[in-house]
Amino acid sequence: MTDQSVRLRITRLLKVVFLSLLFVFTVIILVATVRTISLDVNTGLKLARWEKTEHISPNITSEYRQRLISNFKEAIRIPTVSYSETNLNTTALEEFYRLMRKAFPTLFSSHLVLHEVVGDYSHLFWVPGTDLSLVPYMLLAHIDVVPANESEGWDAPPFSAKEIDGFIYGRGTIDNKQSVMGILEALEFLLARGYMPRRGFYVGLGHDEEVNGLQGAVNIVNALKERGVQLEFVLDEGLAVLDGIISGLYGPAALIGISEKGQATVKLSVTTAPGHSSMPPAEGSIGILAAAVKRLEDNPMPRLFGLGPERGTFEHLAHSFGLPLRFIMSNLWLFTPLLSRRRQNATMFNSGVKVNVLPSYAEAIVNFRIHSAQTLKEVLDIIESTVADERVKISLLTGFDPLPMSSYSAKAFGYQIIKKTVLELFPQVTIAPGICVGNTDSRHYTELTNDIYRFAPTWFKPGDPKRFHGVNERISTKNYEELVVFYIKLFQNCDIRDLPSPHSSGHEL
């Protein structure tokens, strides 16, 4: 065989390989393009024929509007602060109960409603339905708030409920008294107009959510478990309507939380012999610890984007992005490696007592958010193998696994009811499932239902997310009224017996 024939064969082989790769690439681009054009997971029940259950129209008169805004401001003025699990403003919690009874007389006097105080300051309401064959559902919210100090730079005192340019300022306006008062206002509105639900429901208002809900939510759950209660779905706080928050997205998006990330707070500590700075050892406690933290930073948790609910989020939003983002979001099977983020941060580093004394002890606190595709144990194993230093003691301070994923299919009753209600109120929004980075009281309810959703129609615009637990927390009077209307509609929408077929003719939305 001559050199020329060998070169010819190699040339032919390379040509075949090139043409094969070109063919594969063309097919991939074709498939991705077709998917980009055709993918719209937001059809389905929007086109279905829904049973009409809204018999009481949520018409808010000027007089009623003034009353509900006044009630809400009064709620914000009560400093129901949770400082720690053992340090709550119980005087304020008692005052809040008095406000509830004053503001919602029909609710507290109705023969339909059963109310009980749980864990001294939390509240459980039960409203039985006329059709006992229907599985009840439950709405959650929490009365307590995180601390706030006017000296941090508030435009209005954090417990003043001062109104500025159509916004009510105050701690709790978006976390979470807007839901507490919105739910109660909606119930008062409906009961005063003779509402009798077909499907029974519970309302749980916790008093210590900001400090893990161990006295409020946990005791409510225990009470329901003792009674053998099972729930169709649970709706708690969590995600919101995001307008201008997601870069590249055309129009607002309502994200309905279907899970919560787990978390682990880990302490790394090093103990060495003490000494004087004039005679330093080769490695001190601070150096050993710093090296361990640096290894964690240099070796972040595995990229698991696409293996949890975030894939559903972007596929539902894809049609509202412009190119090239629409192409990417519609084809996460192809572009998943481009979309990931770090899930760990060192939050505290402590060591040393004097400038010229070598510290014998150093510690760092590292917080990890655990992806839905991981477990707490897996994260701890990765930490140990990454640190890889016997001199560094690893201690788990707090932690728990990610919450189970709730269904968001066309057959998921709770998700589709929430979706329908949102679209009735805000027909211009795109709706998508999402995952909560923070944790809520709803994580205690997993034994009562398979489907837990985290959403309130609070409207967030650029700059608003930092107000959450931050300075100048606020809500517009218009948006608060929209929350009340949302819950008025939600209660009635839940009265349908079954979801319609996604492909039935006719529509109401």
Side-chain angles (χ1 to χ4, degrees):
M1 184 179 295
T2 65
D3 290 344
Q4 185 176 358
S5 63
V6 171
R7 285 196 297 271
L8 184 60
R9 288 191 176 190
I10 293 174
T11 301
R12 287 176 178 172
L13 179 61
L14 290 174
K15 187 180 293 185
V16 170
V17 171
F18 173 76
L19 290 175
S20 299
L21 290 175
L22 181 62
F23 175 75
V24 171
F25 178 75
T26 302
V27 169
I28 290 175
I29 294 299
L30 182 61
V31 169
T33 301
V34 170
R35 184 173 171 83
T36 301
I37 295 170
S38 61
L39 181 65
D40 185 359
V41 293
N42 285 284
T43 54
L45 293 192
K46 283 199 294 185
L47 305 178
R49 185 182 297 279
W50 287 79
E51 175 187 355
K52 183 173 178 58
T53 55
E54 185 180 300
H55 303 297
I56 300 174
S57 178
N59 293 325
I60 306 297
T61 65
S62 176
E63 180 182 357
Y64 184 70
R65 180 178 296 110
Q66 291 179 5
R67 188 180 73 80
L68 68 87
I69 292 297
S70 176
N71 286 341
F72 182 62
K73 287 182 176 180
E74 195 166 347
I76 298 301
R77 293 187 186 107
I78 302 174
T80 51
V81 177
S82 289
Y83 297 97
S84 70
E85 291 180 6
T86 57
N87 185 6
L88 313 175
N89 188 341
T90 56
T91 301
L93 291 169
E94 291 170 347
E95 183 182 355
F96 197 90
Y97 182 24
R98 292 193 293 271
L99 168 64
M100 288 167 54
R101 298 194 71 94
K102 181 185 75 171
F104 309 114
T106 305
L107 172 62
F108 280 93
S109 63
S110 172
H111 70 280
L112 280 178
V113 181
L114 300 177
H115 166 256
E116 60 188 291
V117 176
V118 180
D120 295 328
Y121 307 104
S122 289
H123 299 271
L124 176 62
F125 298 87
W126 162 235
V127 184
T130 58
D131 188 341
L132 299 180
S133 69
L134 300 180
V135 180
Y137 62 98
M138 188 167 189
L139 304 187
L140 303 180
H142 66 89
I143 298 166
D144 64 321
V145 300
V146 297
N149 194 315
E150 187 176 356
S151 64
E152 296 171 336
W154 286 71
D155 293 341
F159 295 102
S160 67
K162 185 177 180 180
E163 189 172 335
I164 304 174
D165 297 329
F167 288 87
I168 300 169
Y169 282 70
R171 180 63 84 225
T173 50
I174 59 174
D175 182 28
N176 179 239
K177 287 180 180 176
Q178 87 283 20
S179 292
V180 172
M181 297 300 286
I183 291 169
L184 297 181
E185 285 285 2
L187 261 180
E188 180 78 6
F189 181 93
L190 290 169
L191 292 170
R193 288 157 180 78
Y195 175 63
M196 295 182 65
R198 178 196 283 180
R199 184 184 300 271
F201 59 88
Y202 293 88
V203 174
L205 306 179
H207 73 272
D208 61 344
E209 188 273 348
E210 298 292 0
V211 288
N212 296 320
L214 300 182
Q215 299 302 315
V218 169
N219 281 319
I220 291 175
V221 169
N222 288 338
L224 295 177
K225 284 168 63 177
E226 288 175 2
R227 298 164 198 176
V229 172
Q230 285 294 301
L231 302 168
E232 181 70 45
F233 72 94
V234 166
L235 175 61
D236 196 4
E237 63 165 337
L239 300 181
V241 180
L242 308 181
D243 187 3
I245 302 294
I246 302 175
S247 179
L249 187 74
Y250 296 147
L255 300 187
I256 301 171
I258 59 169
S259 182
E260 297 176 11
K261 286 191 175 184
Q263 65 169 293
T265 301
V266 174
K267 180 172 72 173
L268 308 180
S269 60
V270 177
T271 302
T272 59
H276 195 275
S277 61
S278 63
M279 294 178 291
E283 282 187 290
S285 59
I286 294 177
I288 295 170
L289 184 61
V293 172
K294 184 68 165 57
R295 285 194 292 276
L296 288 173
E297 291 180 341
D298 291 343
N299 299 277
M301 290 290 154
R303 294 183 176 186
L304 299 173
F305 185 90
L307 300 179
E310 65 279 354
R311 180 165 184 164
T313 300
F314 286 106
E315 286 185 342
H316 278 71
L317 296 177
H319 69 286
S320 295
F321 283 99
L323 294 173
L325 285 176
R326 179 174 180 175
F327 186 80
I328 294 172
M329 299 307 175
S330 298
N331 297 281
L332 292 179
W333 58 277
L334 188 60
F335 295 106
T336 288
L338 298 178
L339 302 167
S340 62
R341 61 179 296 179
R342 175 174 298 205
R343 293 182 289 115
Q344 67 213 36
N345 283 288
T347 57
M348 297 175 66
F349 203 113
N350 300 311
S351 185
V353 294
K354 194 175 180 182
V355 68
N356 63 345
V357 175
L358 295 174
S360 61
Y361 179 80
E363 70 175 29
I365 308 298
V366 186
N367 182 257
F368 297 81
R369 296 293 167 163
I370 304 176
H371 189 275
S372 298
Q374 276 186 315
T375 65
L376 174 61
K377 183 180 183 306
E378 288 170 347
V379 168
L380 294 177
D381 288 344
I382 291 172
I383 295 170
E384 188 170 338
S385 63
T386 302
V387 170
D389 190 335
E390 294 181 352
R391 297 170 298 178
V392 180
K393 181 181 178 182
I394 301 171
S395 306
L396 176 66
L397 299 181
T398 61
F400 48 86
D401 287 326
L403 275 293
M405 278 181 54
S406 300
S407 175
Y408 57 96
S409 73
K411 297 180 180 180
F413 183 88
Y415 184 87
Q416 297 300 339
I417 290 294
I418 298 165
K419 176 179 174 180
K420 169 181 165 64
T421 308
V422 173
L423 288 172
E424 286 176 342
L425 193 59
F426 306 120
Q428 75 276 30
V429 306
T430 301
I431 296 180
I435 184 167
C436 292
V437 177
N439 298 111
T440 68
D441 268 348
S442 67
R443 66 189 173 96
H444 299 296
Y445 286 77
T446 54
E447 293 183 55
L448 301 182
T449 182
N450 291 325
D451 290 324
I452 298 174
Y453 303 103
R454 298 114 176 135
F455 173 80
T458 310
W459 205 278
F460 278 16
K461 294 194 173 185
D464 287 338
K466 67 182 181 182
R467 300 179 192 274
F468 190 88
H469 283 199
V471 174
N472 286 328
E473 185 179 345
R474 69 180 190 179
I475 191 172
S476 71
T477 55
K478 177 177 179 291
N479 191 201
Y480 176 64
E481 181 181 327
E482 289 167 342
L483 265 98
V484 176
V485 172
F486 171 82
Y487 290 115
I488 292 172
K489 287 178 170 290
L490 182 71
F491 281 125
Q492 296 182 87
N493 285 340
C494 285
D495 283 335
I496 69 166
R497 179 179 294 277
D498 299 297
L499 292 176
S501 168
H503 302 294
S504 62
S505 60
H507 63 87
E508 289 187 4
L509 294 183

